[in-house]
Amino acid sequence: MSADTAWSAPNGGTAPNGDTAPHGRSAVRRGRIERIPGFRSELLGNARDLLVHLPPGYDDRPDADYPVLYLHDGQQVFDQGQQPTWAVDRTLEALYADGLIPELIAVAVPNAGADRGVEYSHVAEYWRTPGTPLKGHRYEAFLTDEVKPFVDARYRTRTGPEHTALMGSSMGGLVTYHIAFRRPEVFGLAAVLSPFLTHVDPEGLGERVVHERYRRRGPRRIWLDIGGREGLIMARPARELAGRLVDEAGYTSGADLLYYEDPAAPHHENAWRPRARHALLHLFGAPSPVRSLTVEPRILLAPGETWSAVNPVAVRADGVRYTALEAGYRVEHPGVAAVSPHGGLRPLAAGRTAVTVRAHGLAAHTEVAVDPELPAHPVLEVTVTVPPGTPDDAPVMFGPLPCAPAGPGRFRGRIAVPRGTGFDGGVSRGWGLDAVDADGRRVLHPLRVDRDTRLDLTVERWHRPADGI
């Protein structure tokens, strides 16, 4: 079955709400996970376990072969009792039970720990380890020339690019994007979640692009998404990339490319878990009609800002949500604000204007207000009180914001950010210890910075999560 060929669900079943099939979900059958211990890479000079999720019907159908999904940061993607996790295996099993995608083999490739950033970098040095040689091209060859041949030899796979997908988030999203465009003859489907496309210096907000700009088609289908509370991994570079893929590489929004901007989503597995369902349906499912179109009812702009956008969300019959870059716009008072073809907003003068959005025969409306009292770069100041025993030189962070010692047991950080920047509100010691509650759950203080903001936070204890984001 080609990825470009519609796949019919059993009994014609689709899931209008994304949860159950119209005739009722069949009992969810579990697949099984095989661990390949110590898989050695001669190209990278290291070894890691591989985790392979075989679908429920794999052992029942000895003559069947299967598409394959390769996932980066593989230690975090299956539900094996650890937290946080994407639980992609559970998502796949639910989609199979609803008859929405064909069964497939999912191969989780764990990262290399301290070498994760350099293995996932093709273009620019990884910002946490400056001066370290890049290994993105070798990691690409590791997947293409070592892992994939092993998987194809061991399991019953469909080997063509139309049956082979890559999926990853953050730096894993970046490396998915690069490999899929460099090797579309191998990986014809790509899910790029919360990609780290641009490094923003938290001190001066200087931006450094860390991804290649491709002006040609790559994989057959692409899913690209971003959250609105990912701190300095902002939505603008992801939306700009999606727009360029439409304008310059020949993709069609709503067809072979889906981009989704989720304003409330943080940079975390808990956000990637539900969005993985949308991505999998786009890559492996059948076309599905758009049933509704929504937009935020009111959008505020500060004079001079260039990073806000209208975010019309289309919802398909199968539950997939995506940002309709293919929408058209009508601005009632064009002297107040301008809207670009893909929804970018530019304030022109103080005032208000109604904006009508149309796509797929549907319409939605929003009011855009340009308020001269709003700062284009509000200041966020965070003070963190830490537990006794925390070293005075500990690299305490509020999201991406470094907080410096500010007296006994206190750290403080200050940053000017583009108005509307969202943070999940997690506090950590560097990138290894998270602030957690008594039950070991991350303590989060989500916020969107629209005006000058001060926070005073107290950390009760630290906890070291598994390597991941």
Side-chain angles (χ1 to χ4, degrees):
M1 180 197 72
S2 167
D4 295 323
T5 301
W7 180 75
S8 298
N11 303 317
T14 59
N17 60 5
D19 293 327
T20 59
H23 308 300
R25 171 182 286 180
S26 303
V28 176
R29 296 179 62 202
R30 300 302 186 199
R32 61 185 173 88
I33 295 174
E34 289 191 354
R35 181 180 292 271
I36 311 299
F39 185 85
R40 177 75 184 174
S41 171
E42 298 302 324
L43 291 164
L44 290 168
N46 58 25
R48 69 199 78 193
D49 295 354
L50 303 180
L51 303 171
V52 181
H53 179 259
L54 298 174
Y58 187 84
D59 296 321
D60 301 336
R61 303 167 58 204
D63 295 330
D65 50 21
Y66 297 86
V68 184
L69 168 68
Y70 293 88
L71 302 115
H72 311 291
D73 291 317
Q75 69 274 27
Q76 299 298 123
V77 299
F78 295 150
D79 182 11
Q80 303 177 89
Q82 86 283 14
Q83 290 294 333
T85 176
W86 293 38
V88 170
D89 50 336
R90 302 308 184 207
T91 299
L92 287 168
E93 290 157 358
L95 289 170
Y96 303 153
D98 285 346
L100 291 174
I101 65 170
E103 291 190 343
L104 55 89
I105 295 169
V107 181
V109 182
N111 66 52
D115 274 353
R116 173 180 181 264
V118 294
E119 284 193 357
Y120 290 176
S121 297
H122 278 76
V123 172
E125 66 181 15
Y126 184 49
W127 68 280
R128 294 183 194 167
T129 55
T132 305
L134 306 182
K135 297 182 180 180
H137 294 80
R138 277 190 277 169
Y139 179 79
E140 173 188 317
F142 158 66
L143 282 181
T144 304
D145 302 330
E146 294 182 325
V147 175
K148 187 176 186 299
F150 171 84
V151 170
D152 289 339
R154 183 181 177 96
Y155 301 101
R156 302 191 307 274
T157 65
R158 299 179 183 177
T159 59
E162 68 272 24
H163 308 301
T164 308
L166 281 176
M167 178 182 284
S169 65
S170 191
M171 289 296 294
L174 175 67
V175 79
T176 292
Y177 165 73
H178 281 138
I179 295 175
F181 272 87
R182 287 172 51 82
R183 300 301 302 271
E185 79 284 1
V186 178
F187 302 101
L189 310 169
V192 180
L193 286 75
S194 296
F196 187 80
L197 299 171
T198 302
H199 175 240
V200 180
D201 177 7
E203 299 294 335
L205 293 184
E207 296 187 13
R208 181 167 62 98
V209 174
V210 298
H211 68 281
E212 188 66 60
R213 181 170 181 168
Y214 296 107
R215 293 180 169 86
R216 53 172 173 75
R217 288 185 64 91
R220 289 163 167 78
R221 291 188 187 179
I222 305 173
W223 170 271
L224 172 64
D225 69 28
I226 195 70
R229 289 183 177 162
E230 301 197 26
L232 297 181
I233 300 178
M234 294 180 287
R236 177 178 51 79
R239 180 183 284 256
E240 288 175 350
L241 172 59
R244 290 199 305 269
L245 292 176
V246 171
D247 294 338
E248 300 175 3
Y251 287 92
T252 300
S253 174
D256 47 15
L257 179 145
L258 294 187
Y259 166 74
Y260 182 40
E261 194 171 307
D262 184 350
H267 194 77
H268 195 266
E269 283 85 354
N270 291 343
W272 302 326
R273 177 173 180 166
R275 297 209 305 264
R277 180 186 186 277
H278 303 323
L280 291 166
L281 277 166
H282 174 55
L283 299 187
F284 293 103
S288 181
V290 172
R291 296 301 193 201
S292 67
L293 184 73
T294 61
V295 67
E296 287 293 320
R298 190 163 185 259
I299 301 173
L300 290 176
L301 300 178
E305 70 172 86
T306 58
W307 44 82
S308 290
V310 183
N311 186 36
V313 175
V315 182
R316 304 191 326 189
D318 58 5
V320 170
R321 302 171 66 86
Y322 75 95
T323 296
L325 298 177
E326 68 274 20
Y329 299 89
R330 185 180 68 81
V331 181
E332 184 178 28
H333 300 299
V336 173
V339 184
S340 73
H342 299 310
L345 279 168
R346 184 162 58 94
L348 300 176
R352 301 174 183 271
T353 182
V355 176
T356 300
V357 186
R358 296 187 183 278
H360 304 282
L362 303 168
H365 308 277
T366 186
E367 181 185 84
V368 175
V370 180
D371 184 349
E373 301 299 317
L374 287 176
H377 287 86
V379 173
L380 171 64
E381 183 174 300
V382 181
T383 300
V384 181
T385 301
V386 298
T390 301
D392 292 339
D393 60 350
V396 172
M397 314 281 289
F398 176 79
L401 172 61
C403 298
R410 292 165 69 84
F411 291 77
R412 183 172 293 119
R414 190 174 187 273
I415 187 174
V417 296
R419 196 195 62 80
T421 299
F423 294 84
D424 71 351
V427 179
S428 64
R429 276 177 54 190
W431 301 93
L433 294 168
D434 287 339
V436 299
D437 62 17
D439 296 321
R441 295 185 293 258
R442 289 180 77 215
V443 177
L444 302 176
H445 309 270
L447 79 157
R448 172 186 159 113
V449 184
D450 288 313
R451 301 178 184 273
D452 292 350
T453 303
R454 294 185 62 179
L455 289 178
D456 289 286
L457 308 175
T458 298
V459 174
E460 300 294 337
R461 70 186 185 97
W462 303 106
H463 170 71
R464 186 179 300 280
D467 289 338
I469 62 174

